[in-house]
């Protein structure tokens, strides 16, 4: 039976649910708690910081000049084409996307949050400058949601400036809301600040403050933000001399921002601060320490209530909470970001590896083991030293630089190059469950989802260019099979050439074209481009899965690499080797396909723990069967049943303790045993067991009785089927 285990693996803290809010949704339990939750600081600074007036005066002067300039622009009739092909007439420098929305319907005008003009995002109130194609996006559109949350970040920034008098840094939208980073020299952000921030934000929202856009030259921007060293750094380093960029105003706040934004703050109907954390300016630990405040917002109050329910369910499913309750794993500050898997967690870990190994055997993979530590010369050859060094653990050994491997591919290149290779050997599908270390910042470590030490189900396929399509097809089939076992849906994206790419553009274009052809052949119209997010050595297909709560996680990746074979001078003998040599042609190089399906095993275990909410399918369960005797005389038979099933490779425990029968059964249910087998006199006499299924909750009556041989056969069949359903055939 399970017993509590001390652990520093902390379940997720959900300040959005646990902290006080200005609507009073979190009620303190007693007077002392109520007093403790009160902020001792005023709602707003009075007088406000001097930089408010400085910014506004400069903004208003420039805005007046801009408005005069707009008045002088020639007015001409323009044609506005909507997505359905219909057209409307307008006037340049007067008609705005919002005007078009209002012409169509009041409901659309109320619902829309942003426009797209000729494919580019455009403020709804910004006049159109010529004939164009126009799209109107609402909050449910991914781009509309990001704009809505970006605008909400500005509202949070305004509230923070008014409450703290802080200097703002950056405030982007995220996948689940937004945040703003700020420098507050004299006080930390605490939960009791949330109601004040929400109150000031609510005041800004009620004022329906317009988002006003202005293009400002670099030298004027430096004057406008002279009080804020963080904004000045961004202006000086990101904006070329002699050029301009945009600022946006809402209320007293003026911020450096490319936009675009919603028309006014009144579009935001529900706003909540969710959490806060520490951070570094530009994510660099060598820079100033900052404070980050996160939030969420919606155009409908009902959506906020639904979001709170989602958070409650996510908190119940949190893998750190379940990991502690089920004794699966823990963390210790003596090795941050490195998981200690306990026996039951190790069962899950090993079952996943066994799953992949069984598929490797069927699919023609060869498993290898490579070193954990390499001389820096290897990483210089691979390009990691130039592009990835800051994320590696480096060591000084005998006056030379070494590093723990952050990935397996360079080692696999050495294995490929350890002897001559012939085209007849290709493809070589080289797999390794290698231990990997990456130097994640301590503040970024999060349970099993962000660790420093982990294992990947890593494979590198060395093949000829003519084999790429077949190999990628095989990888798609592999991926579909594995994800199907867990009930995951998935989405595909092609990530293309990043700024820090290695090699020639021609090679990159060829690689990207190969992946596009494969995607269009097997998933026509079901994939998207993710520009600039490829690895530095090649483009990749990223596969995003969705769990039971519809959350997205990127696990699998398929990367096409023409660079490492070049950098490691990898080659193989071709079929026409002699003729090629006579013609002076160099030996051909293999192409490498990098592949992971589970990705990091640690992260995948976190995902499936929350996906199944700790109710494991039988084949994956660390606690498959509990045998319970109804009384002391039947303990020996209970142990015999457990021993018989254990010898079949099942995870079986027996409860021969002193608790009552109902208590033992209840303990087994709480521990999430898939089946509880109850034995008494009738079962002893007939060599059988009474079967209780975990998923038949609350069954009090006597359940099905099966002969021991039959239940053993059925349990083994269920395990081998890898079914998601906890049902005996």
């Amino acid at each position: 039976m399970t017993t509590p285990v001390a652990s520093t693996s902390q379940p997720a803290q959900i300040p959005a649910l646990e902290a006080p809010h200005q609507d009073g949704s979190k009620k303190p339990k007693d007077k002392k708690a109520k007093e403790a939750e009160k902020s001792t600081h005023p709602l707003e600074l009075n007088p406000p910081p001097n930089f408010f007036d400085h910014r506004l005066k400069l903004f208003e002067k420039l805005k007046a000049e801009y408005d005069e300039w707009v008045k002088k622009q020639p007015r001409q009739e323009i044609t506005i084409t909507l997505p359905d092909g219909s057209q409307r007439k307008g006037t340049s420098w007067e008609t705005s996307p919002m005007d078009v929305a209002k012409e169509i319907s009041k409901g659309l005008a109320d619902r829309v949050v942003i426009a797209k003009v000729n494919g580019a995002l455009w403020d709804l109130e910004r006049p159109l400058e010529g004939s164009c194609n126009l799209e109107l996006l609402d909050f449910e559109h991914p781009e509309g949601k990001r704009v809505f949350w970006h605008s909400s970040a500005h509202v949070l920034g305004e509230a923070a400036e008014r409450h703290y008098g802080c200097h703002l840094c950056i405030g982007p939208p995220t996948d689940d809301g937004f945040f703003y980073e700020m420098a507050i020299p004299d006080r930390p952000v605490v939960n009791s600040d949330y109601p004040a921030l929400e109150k000031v934000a609510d005041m800004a929202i009620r004022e329906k403050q317009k988002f006003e856009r202005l293009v400002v030259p670099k030298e004027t921007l430096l004057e406008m933000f002279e009080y804020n060293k963080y904004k000045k750094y961004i202006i000086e380093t990101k904006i070329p001399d002699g050029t301009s960029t945009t600022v946006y105003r809402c209320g007293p706040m003026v911020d450096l921002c490319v936009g675009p934004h919603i028309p006014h703050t009144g579009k935001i109907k529900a706003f909540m601060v969710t959490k806060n954390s520490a951070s570094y300016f530009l994510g660099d630990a060598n820079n100033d320490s900052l404070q980050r405040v996160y939030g969420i917002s919606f155009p409908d109050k009902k959506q906020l209530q639904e979001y709170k329910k989602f958070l409650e369910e996510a908190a119940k499913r949190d893998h750190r909470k379940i990991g502690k309750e089920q004794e699966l794993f823990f963390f210790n500050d003596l090795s941050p970001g490195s998981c200690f898997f306990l026996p039951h967690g190790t069962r899950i870990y090993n079952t996943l590896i066994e799953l992949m190994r069984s598929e490797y055997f069927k699919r023609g993979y060869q498993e290898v083991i490579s070193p954990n530590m390499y001389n820096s010369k290897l990483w210089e050859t691979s390009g990691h030293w130039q592009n990835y060094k800051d994320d590696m653990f480096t060591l000084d050994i005998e006056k030379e630089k070494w590093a723990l491997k952050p990935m397996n591919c360079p080692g696999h290149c050495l294995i490929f190059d350890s002897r001559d290779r012939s085209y007849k050997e290709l493809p070589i599908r080289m797999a390794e469950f290698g231990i990997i270390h990456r130097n994640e910042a301590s503040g970024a470590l999060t349970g099993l989802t962000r660790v420093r030490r982990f294992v990947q189900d890593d494979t590198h396929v060395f093949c000829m260019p003519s084999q790429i399509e077949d190999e990628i097809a095989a990888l798609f089939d592999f991926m579909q099979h594995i994800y199907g076992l867990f009930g995951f849906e998935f989405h595909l994206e092609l990530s293309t050439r990043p700024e820090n790419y290695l090699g020639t553009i021609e090679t990159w274009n060829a690689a990207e074209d190969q992946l596009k052809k494969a995607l269009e052949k097997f998933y026509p119209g079901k994939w998207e481009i993710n520009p600039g997010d490829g690895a530095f050595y090649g483009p990749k297909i990223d596969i995003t899965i969705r769990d039971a709560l519809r959350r997205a996680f990127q696990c699998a990746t398929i990367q096409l690499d023409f660079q490492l074979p070049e950098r490691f001078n990898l080659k193989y003998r071709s079929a026409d080797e002699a003729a090629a040599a006579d013609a002076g042609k160099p030996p051909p190089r293999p192409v490498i396909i990098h592949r992971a399906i589970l990705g990091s095993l640690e992260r995948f275990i976190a995902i499936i723990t929350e996906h199944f909410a700790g109710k494991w399918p039988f084949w994956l369960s660390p606690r498959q069967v509990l045998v319970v005797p109804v009384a002391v005389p039947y303990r020996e038979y209970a142990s015999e049943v457990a021993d018989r099933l254990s010898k079949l490779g099942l995870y079986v425990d027996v409860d021969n303790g002193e608790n009552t029968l109902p208590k033992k059964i209840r303990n087994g249910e709480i521990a999430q045993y898939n089946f509880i087998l109850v034995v008494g006199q009738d079962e002893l006499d007939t060599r059988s067991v009474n079967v209780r299924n975990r998923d038949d909750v609350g069954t009090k009556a006597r359940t099905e009785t099966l002969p021991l041989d039959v239940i053993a056969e059925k349990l083994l069949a269920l395990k081998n089927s890898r079914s998601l359903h906890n049902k005996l055939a």
Side-chain angles (χ1 to χ4, degrees):
M1 295 302 296
T2 60
T3 53
V5 172
S7 171
T8 57
S9 170
Q10 293 302 316
Q13 304 301 306
I14 311 285
L17 296 176
E18 297 166 355
H21 293 279
Q22 65 122 0
D23 63 1
S25 58
K26 172 67 177 176
K27 300 289 186 184
K29 292 182 179 178
D30 54 44
K31 190 174 180 181
K32 283 186 178 179
K34 193 170 184 178
E35 289 300 319
E37 288 187 348
K38 283 184 179 178
S39 175
T40 57
H41 299 276
L43 189 65
E44 292 189 71
L45 295 181
N46 192 12
N50 292 332
F51 61 79
F52 276 32
D53 190 51
H54 166 77
R55 274 186 326 207
L56 284 176
K57 282 180 178 175
L58 195 49
F59 183 91
E60 287 168 354
K61 173 179 173 291
L62 294 170
K63 184 69 165 59
E65 293 172 0
Y66 173 74
D67 290 343
E68 284 300 312
W69 179 84
V70 169
K71 286 178 185 176
K72 295 174 184 176
Q73 300 311 301
R75 270 41 175 184
Q76 297 175 337
E77 185 178 81
I78 60 173
T79 302
I80 303 158
T81 306
L82 299 173
D84 63 0
S86 64
Q87 294 185 332
R88 292 175 181 265
K89 297 299 180 183
T91 303
S92 62
W93 295 100
E94 284 186 7
T95 303
S96 71
M98 181 58 86
D99 293 329
V100 177
K102 287 176 180 176
E103 280 183 21
I104 296 172
S105 75
K106 182 179 182 301
L108 177 63
D110 290 341
R111 193 174 70 251
V112 69
V113 297
I114 200 67
K116 280 185 99 169
V117 175
N118 295 331
L121 290 171
W122 191 277
D123 298 286
L124 283 167
E125 301 282 10
R126 181 181 170 190
L128 299 169
E129 298 170 11
S131 295
C132 63
N133 294 317
L134 175 67
E135 295 176 72
L136 298 168
L137 311 181
D138 63 15
F139 179 78
E140 298 308 318
H141 190 284
E143 289 181 285
K145 188 171 290 182
R146 285 189 68 80
V147 168
F148 191 91
W149 282 343
H150 187 188
S151 301
S152 301
H154 278 238
V155 174
L156 175 60
E158 177 186 335
E161 283 191 334
R162 289 166 66 177
H163 181 65
Y164 297 115
C166 59
H167 287 180
L168 298 176
C169 300
I170 58 169
T174 66
D175 291 339
D176 52 2
F178 50 89
F179 69 79
Y180 226 117
E181 277 185 344
M182 58 200 74
I184 314 174
D186 55 349
R187 61 183 276 203
V189 177
V190 293
N191 284 11
S192 58
D193 294 343
Y194 294 3
L197 291 171
E198 291 171 348
K199 179 66 175 174
V200 178
D202 187 55
M203 290 160 60
I205 289 166
R206 288 175 185 275
E207 290 171 7
K208 296 186 178 180
Q209 298 170 352
K210 287 183 66 175
F211 279 90
E212 297 179 283
R213 176 182 183 271
L214 202 56
V215 179
V216 181
K218 179 175 181 176
E219 58 272 18
T220 309
L221 289 170
L222 289 170
E223 180 187 354
M224 181 178 284
F225 295 100
E226 63 184 8
Y227 65 91
N228 186 327
K229 67 177 182 179
Y230 307 104
K231 297 290 185 188
K232 283 180 66 179
Y233 179 85
I234 293 170
I235 294 165
E236 287 166 349
T237 58
K238 302 294 184 184
I239 303 169
D241 291 343
T243 65
S244 303
T245 193
T246 51
V247 297
Y248 276 81
R249 174 189 175 179
C250 64
M253 179 186 168
V254 180
D255 200 13
L256 184 71
C257 179
V258 295
H261 284 285
I262 59 177
H264 59 79
T265 58
K267 287 273 186 184
I268 303 166
K269 303 301 182 186
F271 183 101
M272 182 174 73
V273 176
T274 56
K275 62 180 178 178
N276 64 276
S277 68
S279 63
Y280 295 108
F281 181 51
L282 303 179
D284 187 340
N286 296 314
N287 291 338
D288 287 0
S289 180
L290 304 173
Q291 301 193 64
R292 185 180 286 185
V293 180
Y294 293 80
I296 191 80
S297 64
F298 298 97
D300 188 326
K301 285 185 167 68
K302 289 180 183 176
Q303 290 171 296
L304 180 58
Q305 295 308 312
E306 290 168 1
Y307 178 74
K308 287 180 179 179
K309 289 177 183 176
F310 165 81
L311 286 182
E312 289 172 0
E313 181 60 28
K316 291 176 191 172
R317 291 171 175 257
D318 186 87
H319 71 278
R320 290 161 291 187
K321 173 179 176 288
I322 292 170
K324 188 173 183 179
E325 291 170 350
Q326 296 190 5
E327 295 182 32
L328 303 178
F329 59 84
F330 71 95
F331 290 85
N332 191 289
D333 290 341
L334 293 176
S335 186
S338 301
C339 181
F340 291 77
F341 278 98
L342 295 165
H344 289 87
T346 303
R347 289 176 178 181
I348 297 169
Y349 194 98
N350 287 340
T351 301
L352 292 174
I353 290 179
E354 288 162 11
L355 165 67
M356 298 306 292
R357 280 197 171 124
S358 69
E359 291 297 323
Y360 287 167
F361 182 77
K362 297 176 197 172
R363 297 170 186 268
Y365 285 75
Q366 303 174 53
E367 196 171 336
V368 298
I369 299 173
S370 62
N372 276 66
M373 184 172 69
Y374 293 92
N375 190 287
S376 63
K377 294 183 181 69
L378 176 88
W379 306 115
E380 289 166 5
T381 301
S382 69
H384 288 87
W385 205 251
Q386 301 91 306
N387 293 281
Y388 206 79
K389 182 182 175 184
D390 290 345
D391 297 306
M392 298 166 67
F393 285 102
T394 58
L395 306 92
D396 290 303
I397 300 174
E398 295 179 351
K399 299 181 180 179
E400 290 195 297
K401 287 284 186 184
W402 296 68
L404 298 177
K405 66 178 176 183
M407 47 198 70
N408 293 307
C409 37
H412 290 187
C413 288
L414 294 184
I415 293 174
F416 181 91
D417 200 38
S418 61
R419 66 169 175 81
D420 285 348
R421 301 287 179 178
S422 164
Y423 74 97
K424 295 178 181 178
E425 295 178 70
L426 304 183
I428 295 173
R429 305 182 186 101
M430 200 178 294
E432 179 173 10
F433 297 102
I435 297 171
I436 287 170
H437 289 84
R438 293 183 184 171
N439 190 9
E440 300 282 359
S442 58
L445 300 176
T446 312
L448 289 174
T449 59
R450 197 75 176 266
V451 291
R452 287 174 172 166
R453 184 267 190 204
F454 58 97
V455 169
Q456 282 186 319
D457 65 319
D458 212 3
T459 291
H460 296 95
V461 179
F462 296 82
C463 65
M464 295 183 285
S466 61
Q467 297 170 322
I468 289 174
E469 188 173 313
D470 287 343
E471 287 304 305
I472 290 179
L475 292 176
F476 283 154
D477 178 73
F478 195 171
M479 177 188 72
Q480 282 184 300
H481 173 70
I482 294 297
Y483 286 163
L485 292 174
F486 299 94
F488 287 135
E489 300 173 6
F490 59 87
H491 172 75
L492 301 107
E493 286 185 340
L494 173 59
S495 297
T496 57
R497 185 178 69 249
E499 290 183 7
N500 64 332
Y501 69 93
L502 297 179
T504 65
I505 287 180
E506 292 76 18
T507 301
W508 272 85
N509 289 341
E512 288 174 8
D513 286 343
Q514 291 263 27
L515 293 182
K516 285 176 184 175
K517 286 177 185 175
L519 284 165
E520 203 50 44
K521 180 176 181 180
F522 296 101
Y523 299 98
K526 297 180 181 177
W527 57 279
E528 295 177 3
I529 291 275
N530 184 15
D533 201 39
F536 64 85
Y537 48 78
K540 59 179 179 170
I541 298 170
D542 287 326
I543 297 93
T544 302
I545 60 174
R546 288 196 175 274
D547 71 0
L549 293 182
R550 308 298 300 159
R551 295 174 298 184
F553 301 93
Q554 195 260 305
C555 289
T557 185
I558 298 171
Q559 301 174 7
L560 203 54
D561 187 352
F562 292 86
Q563 307 302 327
L564 282 185
E566 186 83 28
R567 296 178 77 88
F568 279 91
N569 194 27
L570 304 183
K571 50 192 178 294
Y572 61 89
R573 295 194 303 275
S574 62
D576 57 349
E577 181 182 23
D582 290 342
K585 290 182 180 178
R589 299 197 188 284
V591 178
I592 298 177
I593 304 174
H594 303 249
R595 189 281 290 148
I597 293 179
L598 303 183
S600 153
L601 263 72
E602 284 76 359
R603 185 166 178 268
F604 194 78
I605 288 172
I607 292 168
I608 59 176
T609 302
E610 297 184 5
H611 178 59
F612 294 123
K615 295 182 72 171
W616 302 97
F618 186 77
W619 69 274
L620 191 56
S621 177
R623 295 179 175 86
Q624 293 171 328
V625 178
L626 176 66
V627 186
V628 179
V630 300
V632 173
Y634 311 108
R635 288 179 177 176
E636 185 177 340
Y637 180 55
S639 297
E640 181 187 337
V641 170
D643 186 57
R644 168 80 182 276
L645 297 178
S646 294
K647 286 178 179 176
L648 296 175
L650 301 175
Y651 295 131
V652 186
D653 294 314
V654 59
D655 188 348
N656 279 332
E658 300 302 324
N659 286 326
T660 63
L661 177 62
K663 179 67 173 173
K664 290 179 180 181
I665 291 173
R666 181 60 184 148
N667 287 344
E669 290 172 345
I670 292 170
Q672 297 297 340
Y673 282 91
N674 296 71
F675 294 95
I676 298 174
L677 309 183
V678 181
V679 296
Q681 188 63 50
D682 290 347
E683 289 75 24
L684 175 60
D685 292 342
T686 57
R687 308 293 295 170
S688 63
V689 294
N690 184 251
V691 183
R692 291 173 183 259
N693 187 321
R694 177 195 66 195
D695 294 347
D696 296 336
V697 180
T699 302
K700 302 298 181 186
R702 186 179 177 84
T703 52
E704 183 181 20
T705 297
L706 294 174
L708 185 53
D709 289 343
V710 173
I711 190 65
E713 182 181 322
K714 286 179 177 289
L715 290 172
L716 204 55
L718 180 59
K719 177 185 176 183
N720 292 335
S721 73
R722 295 196 175 107
S723 171
L724 286 172
H725 305 292
N726 203 53
K727 298 289 182 185
L728 296 173

